[in-house]
Amino acid sequence: MPARSKVQQEAAGAALAAKRGKRPVSSLQGASKKMEQSMTEEQLEDFASTKRKDLPDNIGKKSKK
């Protein structure tokens, strides 16, 4: 399953780096911390490898009027 937003892709990249030992797990926050704990390396790689070109910045955020 590919990432649905740029933020999700970035969080997956950070979680993948931590899972591979290239970044300390203690530096993760929010979604990336949960992703690192609950997803396999293969799942994280799939999310992180998503091309960012056509992705929206965020999914599900409603604009305030």
Side-chain angles (χ1 to χ4, degrees):
M1 172 190 318
R4 294 180 55 204
S5 71
K6 291 178 183 178
V7 172
Q8 191 179 46
Q9 187 266 347
E10 187 176 325
L16 181 60
K19 193 164 282 269
R20 289 181 174 169
K22 296 180 180 181
R23 178 181 180 153
V25 175
S26 61
S27 70
L28 299 178
Q29 298 178 7
S32 59
K33 190 172 194 173
K34 290 181 182 179
M35 288 174 131
E36 193 274 331
Q37 294 170 349
S38 65
M39 297 175 76
T40 66
E41 188 172 332
E42 291 79 25
Q43 291 172 319
L44 289 170
E45 193 170 318
D46 188 33
F47 271 76
S49 66
T50 304
K51 301 293 182 208
R52 293 177 63 126
K53 183 178 179 185
D54 296 324
L55 292 177
D57 290 335
N58 288 305
I59 289 288
K61 271 198 167 180
K62 296 181 180 179
S63 61
K64 294 181 179 180
K65 292 183 180 180

